[in-house]
């Protein structure tokens, strides 16, 4: 089964590990048709994918796997190496919390090296595997309250999950804040076509 990498920020990694994030949205970009080489606009991709044709989908299709890339560090003694040069099995400290070394051996991580972007995480260092349960394309404004919850976005005004519905802000307003913090001012109002990838964590 084909596996593809997918990048997540620290807060979103923690939400996945906590079991509260089961969906992600990514802006749809123009791409080349893999069969014919012509340019496909976002609305053309939407027509394909939403009708079950995943040929040009960068995230694959339901049932396939995504391995998570996230920010990380390894031993300071390896700082001179590129990620591709680091041998499988080296100690990894994840910026979102946790490491890949069990028991007392984790003490060796006191000599942590430089910050490394998740974009350059090798496959062997990934600790999270996701199985896609649904893939579709829609406009950003189409997000529902249930979708916001599946995105892992929660009320940030000091109320617990049980009080979420009583929060003074709408669920979409919370997602608006989260979206603009990642994509910049005006990115919400642009209402782009987005990939909507639903998933479950594979144990």
């Amino acid at each position: 089964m084909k596996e593809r990498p997918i990048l997540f920020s620290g807060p979103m990694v923690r939400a996945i590990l906590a079991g509260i994030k089961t969906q992600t949205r990514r802006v749809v970009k123009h791409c080349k048709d893999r069969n014919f080489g012509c340019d496909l606009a976002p609305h053309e991709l939407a027509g394909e994918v939403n009708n079950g044709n995943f040929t040009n989908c960068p995230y694959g299709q339901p049932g396939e796997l995504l391995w998570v890339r996230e920010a990380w560090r390894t031993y300071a003694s390896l700082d001179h190496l590129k990620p591709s040069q680091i041998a499988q099995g080296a100690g990894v400290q994840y910026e979102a919390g946790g490491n890949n070394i069990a028991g007392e051996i984790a003490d060796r991580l006191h000599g942590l090296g430089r910050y490394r972007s998740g974009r350059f995480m090798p496959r062997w260092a990934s600790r999270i595997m996701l199985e896609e349960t649904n893939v579709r394309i829609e406009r950003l404004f189409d997000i529902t309250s249930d979708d916001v919850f599946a995105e892992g976005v929660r009320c940030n005004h000091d109320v617990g999950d049980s009080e979420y519905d009583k929060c003074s802000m709408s669920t979409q307003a919370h997602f608006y804040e989260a979206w603009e913090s990642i994509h910049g001012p005006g990115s919400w109002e642009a209402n782009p076509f987005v990939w909507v990838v639903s998933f479950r964590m594979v144990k």
Side-chain angles (χ1 to χ4, degrees), residues 1-46:
M1 184 179 295
K2 189 164 185 177
E3 299 177 1
R4 294 173 173 82
I6 187 168
L7 182 67
F8 282 101
S9 66
M12 294 300 97
V13 168
R14 288 189 286 273
I16 291 171
L17 291 173
I20 63 173
K21 183 173 179 65
T22 58
Q23 197 177 90
T24 187
R25 278 165 172 70
R26 310 292 168 104
V27 175
V28 178
K29 300 178 181 178
H30 285 73
C31 73
K32 292 283 187 183
D33 188 293
R34 292 177 182 173
N35 289 328
F36 304 106
C38 58
D39 287 328
L40 289 174
H43 72 276
E44 293 173 307
L45 280 167

Side-chain angles (χ1 to χ4, degrees), residues 3-197:
E3 299 177 1
R4 294 173 173 82
I6 187 168
L7 182 67
F8 282 101
S9 66
M12 294 300 97
V13 168
R14 288 189 286 273
I16 291 171
L17 291 173
I20 63 173
K21 183 173 179 65
T22 58
Q23 197 177 90
T24 187
R25 278 165 172 70
R26 310 292 168 104
V27 175
V28 178
K29 300 178 181 178
H30 285 73
C31 73
K32 292 283 187 183
D33 188 293
R34 292 177 182 173
N35 289 328
F36 304 106
C38 58
D39 287 328
L40 289 174
H43 72 276
E44 293 173 307
L45 280 167
E48 286 188 357
V49 171
N50 294 344
N51 282 299
N53 180 356
F54 298 95
T55 301
N56 294 299
C57 177
Y59 302 103
Q61 60 186 329
E64 293 188 337
L65 301 174
L66 300 169
W67 59 272
V68 173
R69 281 178 160 157
E70 58 180 298
W72 59 296
R73 298 174 190 267
T74 187
Y75 305 126
S77 60
L78 303 179
D79 274 358
H80 64 289
L81 297 178
K82 297 178 181 178
S84 61
Q85 298 173 317
I86 299 174
Q88 181 170 345
V92 174
Q93 177 73 42
Y94 302 100
E95 290 294 286
N99 60 66
N100 69 346
I101 298 180
E104 68 278 0
I105 303 177
D107 292 340
R108 292 170 52 193
L109 284 172
H110 74 276
L112 283 175
R114 60 186 173 87
Y115 171 94
R116 293 177 183 265
S117 168
R119 295 181 184 278
F120 306 108
M121 171 175 273
R123 170 68 185 87
W124 63 261
S126 176
R127 60 174 168 169
I128 303 173
M129 182 70 77
L130 306 174
E131 179 185 349
E132 297 175 73
T133 58
N134 186 263
V135 181
R136 67 181 188 272
I137 294 178
E138 64 186 27
R139 299 304 286 261
L140 184 59
F141 287 0
D142 291 333
I143 191 167
T144 67
S145 295
D146 287 342
D147 288 332
V148 172
F149 211 68
E151 280 273 1
V153 176
R154 297 294 187 267
C155 184
N156 54 11
H157 293 275
D158 299 321
V159 297
D161 283 350
S162 62
E163 298 294 308
Y164 189 72
D165 291 335
K166 300 177 184 178
C167 186
S168 60
M169 290 176 61
S170 70
T171 52
Q172 280 82 358
H174 286 294
F175 188 77
Y176 159 82
E177 285 188 342
W179 182 268
E180 292 238 325
S181 71
I182 296 170
H183 299 279
S187 57
W188 173 263
E189 288 302 324
N191 190 25
F193 282 95
V194 290
W195 295 101
V196 182
V197 181

